[in-house]
Amino acid sequence: MRYQCRAGGITLRLSERDVCSKYVSPALFSSGWDLHSQIREEVTLTAGRIIVRGQMTTRGGKKRADYVLYLKPNIPLAVIEVKDESHSASHGMQQALEYAQMLDVPFAFSTNGNTFVLHDRTGGSIVEKEFPPSEFPSPKELWLKYREWKNLDTVDPAVVEQDYFDDGSDRSPRYYQSLAINRAVERVSQGDDRLLLVMATGTGKTYTAFQIIWRLWRSGKKKRILFLADRNILVDQAKTNDFKPFGGAMTKITNRNVDKSYEIYLSLYQAITGSEIDANIYKLFSPTFFDLIIVDECHRGSATEDSRWREVLQYFASATQIGLTATPKETKTVSNSEYFGEPIYTYSLRQGIEDGFLAPYKVVRYDLDRDMLGYRPTRDTTDRFGNEVNDRIYRQKDFDRSLVLTERTKLVAKKVTEFLQATDPYSKTIVFCEDQEHAERMRRELININHALVRENHRYVMRITGEDEAGKAELDNFIDPRSRYPVIATTSKLLSTGVDAKTCKLIVLDQTIESMTEFKQTIGRGTRIDEQFDKLFFTIMDFRSATELFADINFDGDPVQIYEPTIEDPALPPEDEQTTEFPDTSPLAGDAVGAEKRLKYYLDDVQVDVLSKREQYLSHDGKLITESLVEYTKKTITQDYRTLRDFLTRWTEADKKQAVIDELANTGVSLDALRSEVPNGKSYSAFDLLCHVAYGEPAMTRRERADRLRGRGYFAKYQQPARTVLEALLDKYANEEFDPIENARVLQLKPFDEIGTPVEIVKNVFGGRSGYEIAVRELQDELYRREA
């Protein structure tokens, strides 16, 4: 890029970073901004959306701000976007405003080095103005206007200016975590005492809670804090990991003992409440003992008006109370917002996937014939135990609740195994079942069908449920990325919330899920990313039509709507959440339980088959592609290229054909998946496959295209050894698509190495790089040329 030097009229070629260092940074230093604590350059805000192609992934572009200005680390005030002198000073303003909105700051600056333009969102009469570098505002000026904008003029500055915890490592909050932390601290400093934060599973709610507590505690605003959760693993993970810096000031309430000498308390609500009055040990604390209570996963027990959690919250009513959840729930009788108020910040699953912080997913849905068509027993049908099966039509919701079809369980286990064998047999997998007994039967079938892998290690498949001590003992190993075993966990409810299984690549739904809250929590077990262990996306295998909930308007972050039944409607909400296991009174082999106590019939001889299978993917806008991939591809291509001529023009003009494929991949079109849907699709060139799907053109295989080109005598115009090189490239194309033609590294392989090194071939055979690229480009043009 070219910039005009300020002295002497000499034109210099400077990079954008040179402009920043020569002109922008000096302007900031002159205005009193501190290099070490208040200025950050090239700030990466997002990780770049993960794009899935078959089993391969790539990253989309990251969002990166040229400068972010801070009052102090993690308390941002302004964004600066820098452009070269060939652009106007305001050219980067729209980009700066986008980043300012992401960071929740009121000041966006754009500059070309000569002058600055400020967009001020604090509400003054002048929204945008241009000024010279010498007039850049100081930190104090912007902080005073920021405080006025956020209504912080009357609050204690020691609270909102309190430092974040910093252990000296490179770890710092992501942009949305800082936003949630800062907004919570600001609202508490203003006197708000009921707050709700909604953050998708896997986005760091516990770390966010820790920083909120740390800043309020260190500032002296809140001296005694209670962190509540309903799962022991949630409390232990917090105590061992994110909350560890509290050290000796922190304790976990156990064995129903109370020691009032600590400042930070972590507890299960079960540990401080009970069915008897004397079991409510939270009352051993005075009602004013705690200044702050954080309720993790507050969509669960605390949302109900008459729940025991609500008793605890109401007892400590004088404390500031903050609810954390990935899935706020709103029904007639259960409400987060009624108690905590509307969320002060929401970071949704869709936004997390778009930013590249959460794993995208594809859905493999199986419709089983008995599920879709139903099953009715013939007269006098008896089950495995000799009990006569009630004569009625059993449908999907009945299976594994009131009627067990052994062949159905075997079929599910078979399809799960086929998927793992086709991808990676050691991919961490959670199979969600109807209840604990179903989880045990599923474990048995998976063991039988994976007997070779089980012989390697008996922990290949484990049931991990609330009543199974041996299984629960393996939970830490299951969620540990470094531990290979267990690989497959069968469960019902235990793993549906709070368990941080970063490397889980397969979620199997063989459980009826009607609650949006439960569905979000269950899907959340797969949304975490672990690049070190190659976990960048996950698959949902659905045997119960649960993924139809993706179509619900409430799926992405919004609360489930309040249920307003009419006279004809049932009294209970249709998605009444199951919060307990189904009673496990069904006998296993050898049990002798009377038929009058049995909840289930067991039939071993009813055949079950797959009626249909569909694979679904996320589109570029984060929505699930519900039509077939063929239909979606046609719609997507023809939206951008209305006619075949338009597409041919783009294909011909592209220096590298892979660029066209990458463009389509960014819109959700997976070439690998498309080939699996189109008959003989794996043999077609990408060009033929796309033209066939989008415009109905007859398709040729790569081999047919290569043979047609040879038949036209195309290579006759080339002398040896150029002809040998190009003919070899065509052979590579026939077998491997156009990538070898476009990637010069192919010249390192046989048979090219017999002609010379890549440098020698390019220089001696084609007269240099440009000559080689022209020959390759002409080869591709001729390869895709349409017959007259």
Side-chain angles (χ1 to χ4, degrees), residues 537-609:
F537 72 98
F538 70 106
T539 301
I540 303 166
M541 187 175 287
D542 179 18
F543 292 92
R544 298 276 178 167
S545 307
T547 51
E548 290 181 355
L549 287 170
F550 280 128
D552 194 305
I553 191 173
N554 300 303
F555 172 69
D556 188 26
D558 295 326
V560 177
Q561 295 299 309
I562 293 177
Y563 176 58
E564 299 283 358
T566 63
I567 296 176
E568 294 81 10
D569 292 326
L572 292 177
E575 53 171 65
D576 189 29
E577 183 175 353
Q578 299 289 340
T579 57
T580 59
E581 304 286 357
F582 289 101
D584 190 9
T585 58
S586 303
L588 299 176
D591 288 344
V593 178
E596 68 278 8
K597 295 182 180 181
R598 186 188 307 281
L599 294 180
K600 301 179 185 178
Y601 299 107
Y602 292 77
L603 297 179
D604 301 325
D605 56 355
V606 178
Q607 185 63 34
V608 181
D609 295 305

Side-chain angles (χ1 to χ4, degrees), residues 393-448:
I393 297 177
Y394 293 86
R395 302 191 183 279
Q396 188 177 68
K397 291 182 181 180
D398 298 310
F399 297 133
D400 299 299
R401 290 189 177 187
S402 57
L403 179 67
V404 172
L405 301 180
T406 302
E407 292 300 316
R408 189 188 183 285
T409 309
K410 289 181 177 180
L411 181 59
V412 172
K414 177 184 176 183
K415 293 303 176 184
V416 171
T417 300
E418 288 175 354
F419 180 88
L420 291 174
Q421 290 176 345
T423 53
D424 177 7
Y426 296 98
S427 292
K428 296 284 187 176
T429 300
I430 304 177
V431 184
F432 287 97
C433 303
E434 289 287 5
D435 56 23
Q436 299 190 49
E437 186 271 338
H438 181 202
E440 172 58 25
R441 287 186 288 105
M442 186 63 71
R443 182 197 70 87
R444 185 185 311 132
E445 298 300 341
L446 285 165
I447 282 177
N448 289 335

